[in-house]
Amino acid sequence: MSGPDDRIPALLARFGHTGFRPGQEAAVTAALAGRDVLAVMPTGAGKSLCYQLPALASEGLTLVVSPLVALMDDQISSLQHVAPGEVAAVHGLRDPEENDYALEQAAEGKLRLLYLAPERLANARATSALKACKLERVVVDEAHCVSSWGHDFRPDYFRLGEAARRLGADRISAFTATATDQVTEDIARRLGLSEPEVIRTGFNRPNISLTAMTCQGRPDEDACLKQLLEAPQSRPAIIYAGTRKQTGEVAKMLKKHLGVRVEAYHAGLERKSRGEIQRRFMGGETEIVVATNAFGMGVDKADVRTVVHVAVPGSLEALYQEAGRGGRDGLPSRAVLLAEPRDRSLHVHFIKSATVEDDQLKSLVRLLREAADDRGLAKITARSAAGACGGGSERATAALGHLAFAGVLTPIPSPPGEVSVRLSGELDEAALARSRAAARDAEKLRWRRYNEVWGYVDGETCRRQAVLDHFGDKREAVSEGPCCDVCDKSLVPKGAPAGAAGTRAKGGPRRVVVSAEDVDGLEAALLATVRDATPTVGRTRLVEIMRGSQSKSLLSSGQDGLEHYGEYSHLSKDIVLTVVDDTITAGRLVSTGGSYPKLKLAA
Ligand code: ADP
């Protein structure tokens, strides 16, 4: 009988390929030799083949765990030509009967590849069917989600390594497009990979040009968008918006202006409509999709010519991953980031709203204890978890992560809207201190991401080089067309706002770096200023004092003599105002209300 390696050329041909792309051969060979694999390859590099080919060459079942449910169905339909009847998926967007049928097929040994949404690992029906299978390997796609250092850590990914071993998988492969060294090490540790073959291909996408510019508000941004997408060859395009509301607004504006089919996509739409929008985009009927980050997961559309962000993502990893959905066919494509000063204050707000206080940790644990059965298993709604943490789902997710780190609980994969954990320890003083330390680290990490992504936006050096440096890729930052707006001014849309790098005058806006310490000190300074200011001040005046405004009325009232006057001139108005508003929301400052509301200290 021929060895598996001899089968590679025939299998490659079944996939319709004539050779491997960088990194693929090493991943396939290691998997065929029965080794664990950890591959860090950029979007579009061809990660799927790295596990699909070995899966088809083996006799057992390869289980692919992925949070990207929308992607699964595309993968399966394209694999039906390669391996008819040997591939299926189990996830919440399919009918229960379809899911049951797929599990039956798997248990009967008829499948080579089964795609599974992570929360299914908590489902008894799914796990018992899987235990009956001859499990060859578990593949963890988007593996950065297992790492609390990753930009979209998911508690339901937390114990994936353990879940895989429980199912009897001896071998694990992990794939991600967005891992720094720290995340890579964390992935290997959390999944318990054993001497994995580590593959890192370059992060450069030479056919994608990179542009970033700061717009002064929505009209400015709309004007840029219209210009960027005017030419038919700039489409198909994906526009990433910050909110669901914005997807609708931008889609409407572009449709009116361009007269082509533009659709809005976000997780709040019915599952059926989401599927239809995606299908129309894949099929070329819809030229532009304006979406939240819920879209794209499944977009294996090779000919996307433009990806525009009209809101700055929370990390450079997220930005580059989404931008990387353009130009998978290797032809020229553009990634454009349109920032707004408002995005910056929103980020500050999100970072602050994920900060967890001791009493929130305590009330979350109390709630879980009340819900726990005698084995310590607790299931509560995500809404009540958020309630215990002062209302924010971001904060509840963060709190669960900190408590897990401190050994107080173990998250169990659970469907969206639900939180399941196993309580594993007391929240005593020592555990509280460990949780606090985890919370501090998490906050530092968020500020680091903030500084990285805004460093990119405000950067005045080659953007490609900045990205490669960020990912620790030492290779040369070469491009196949125009590189970036810093290197090539032709990339800046004509009439672009003054903030665009290509139009920025020397000595223009400088890079603003904000740290946790900055903002922490700011709140204390705000309180002292409100206490000391005469006459009393409102929100706007308070911001002016902190930023050292030279306004006539401020100077004539002598408020420039206040202790903290001008101390925060390096922060934007939006950031300072966000912290003022957060301090009011937290009840440490009180607004008197009325037509000219003033601020006072809480009683
Ligand atoms: P990733 O998961 O890394 O983002 P995919 O696995 O979706 O990338 O692959 C991206 C595209 O590249 C797909 O259209 C795929 O068919 C194509 N591709 C993958 N491997 C090869 C290869 N060896 N030769 C040619 N095309 C390939």
Side-chain angles (χ1 to χ4, degrees), residues 271-336:
R271 163 189 142 187
K272 198 160 155 256
S273 355
R274 272 184 285 155
E276 282 164 4
I277 296 170
Q278 189 166 337
R279 261 193 301 281
R280 283 193 290 267
F281 184 62
M282 302 296 282
E285 216 179 309
T286 296
E287 292 197 37
I288 303 176
V289 167
V290 187
T292 58
N293 60 4
F295 184 72
M297 321 271 191
V299 188
D300 179 15
K301 186 166 172 62
D303 61 346
V304 174
R305 298 274 68 90
T306 309
V307 176
V308 186
H309 282 86
V310 290
V312 180
S315 71
L316 195 50
E317 277 93 344
L319 171 70
Y320 196 58
Q321 180 166 43
E322 285 160 5
R325 300 207 167 109
R328 283 172 171 227
D329 53 8
L331 296 174
S333 162
R334 293 178 303 175
V336 183

Side-chain angles (χ1 to χ4, degrees), residues 17 19-21 24 42-49 300 328:
H17 303 322
F20 282 120
R21 285 187 176 169
Q24 286 181 330
T43 309
K47 287 184 284 298
S48 324
L49 186 85
D300 179 15
R328 283 172 171 227

Side-chain angles (χ1 to χ4, degrees), residues 26 81 91 161 201 268 289 352 363 370 435 444 452 519 575:
H81 310 292
H91 59 69
T201 62
V289 167
K352 291 189 73 69
S363 61
E370 280 163 16
S435 309
K444 270 196 212 141
E452 282 163 358
V519 177
I575 292 184

Side-chain angles (χ1 to χ4, degrees), residues 22 49 115 117 122 181 209 236 293 363 399 402 424 441 505 590:
L49 186 85
Y115 285 81
D181 285 345
S209 69
N293 60 4
S363 61
H402 307 329
S424 43
D441 284 351
V590 179

Side-chain angles (χ1 to χ4, degrees), residues 173-488:
S173 296
F175 292 90
T176 176
T178 62
T180 55
D181 285 345
Q182 193 176 30
V183 176
T184 321
E185 279 164 28
D186 205 28
I187 292 172
R189 192 171 49 82
R190 283 203 196 277
L191 292 178
L193 301 185
S194 149
E195 298 179 15
E197 171 80 21
V198 179
I199 296 150
R200 271 181 173 279
T201 62
F203 274 82
N204 192 15
R205 298 284 308 277
N207 60 319
I208 302 183
S209 69
L210 305 169
T211 300
M213 59 183 111
T214 302
C215 296
Q216 297 308 321
R218 194 55 75 72
D220 229 12
E221 209 164 78
D222 287 355
C224 271
L225 268 180
K226 286 177 188 167
Q227 226 187 83
L228 285 164
L229 300 167
E230 189 90 65
Q233 61 272 26
S234 65
R235 311 188 290 256
I238 306 174
I239 320 254
Y240 282 107
T243 59
R244 293 177 181 183
K245 185 160 165 259
Q246 198 186 7
T247 59
E249 291 165 358
V250 173
K252 196 167 154 207
M253 184 275 297
L254 284 175
K255 193 169 170 178
K256 188 161 166 231
H257 178 76
L258 299 170
V260 296
R261 192 197 270 270
V262 185
E263 296 197 80
Y265 180 105
H266 56 73
L269 296 174
E270 289 280 318
R271 163 189 142 187
K272 198 160 155 256
S273 355
R274 272 184 285 155
E276 282 164 4
I277 296 170
Q278 189 166 337
R279 261 193 301 281
R280 283 193 290 267
F281 184 62
M282 302 296 282
E285 216 179 309
T286 296
E287 292 197 37
I288 303 176
V289 167
V290 187
T292 58
N293 60 4
F295 184 72
M297 321 271 191
V299 188
D300 179 15
K301 186 166 172 62
D303 61 346
V304 174
R305 298 274 68 90
T306 309
V307 176
V308 186
H309 282 86
V310 290
V312 180
S315 71
L316 195 50
E317 277 93 344
L319 171 70
Y320 196 58
Q321 180 166 43
E322 285 160 5
R325 300 207 167 109
R328 283 172 171 227
D329 53 8
L331 296 174
S333 162
R334 293 178 303 175
V336 183
L337 172 64
L338 302 178
E340 260 193 87
R342 212 174 64 97
D343 297 341
R344 208 187 283 269
S345 48
L346 271 176
H347 284 184
V348 172
H349 175 75
F350 281 131
I351 294 173
K352 291 189 73 69
S353 49
T355 306
V356 188
E357 308 283 347
D358 284 6
D359 53 346
Q360 290 162 341
L361 290 170
K362 285 181 191 160
S363 61
L364 181 58
V365 171
R366 206 174 311 123
L367 188 70
L368 289 164
R369 286 219 177 283
E370 280 163 16
D373 63 13
D374 43 8
R375 290 169 304 159
L377 293 177
K379 185 156 79 177
I380 59 174
T381 61
R383 187 188 282 259
S384 58
C389 295
S393 61
E394 295 249 334
R395 190 180 286 142
T397 309
L400 288 167
H402 307 329
L403 290 165
F405 176 84
V408 177
L409 53 81
T410 308
I412 299 173
S414 47
E418 228 173 75
V419 170
S420 295
V421 304
R422 181 189 300 278
L423 290 161
S424 43
E426 288 300 319
L427 185 61
D428 53 17
E429 272 311 310
L432 197 57
R434 286 196 300 275
S435 309
R436 225 181 271 137
R440 247 195 330 269
D441 284 351
E443 188 171 355
K444 270 196 212 141
L445 177 70
R446 288 193 198 97
W447 283 111
R448 200 174 76 202
R449 287 196 198 123
Y450 171 94
N451 283 322
E452 282 163 358
V453 78
W454 285 97
Y456 176 82
V457 176
D458 296 331
E460 291 171 354
T461 55
C462 172
R463 298 197 193 281
R464 188 173 307 277
Q465 190 65 56
V467 169
L468 296 191
D469 288 349
H470 174 73
F471 287 107
D473 185 341
K474 304 275 185 296
R475 274 161 273 214
E476 214 186 326
V478 286
S479 64
E480 282 163 7
C483 175
C484 70
D485 57 315
V486 176
C487 298
D488 188 335

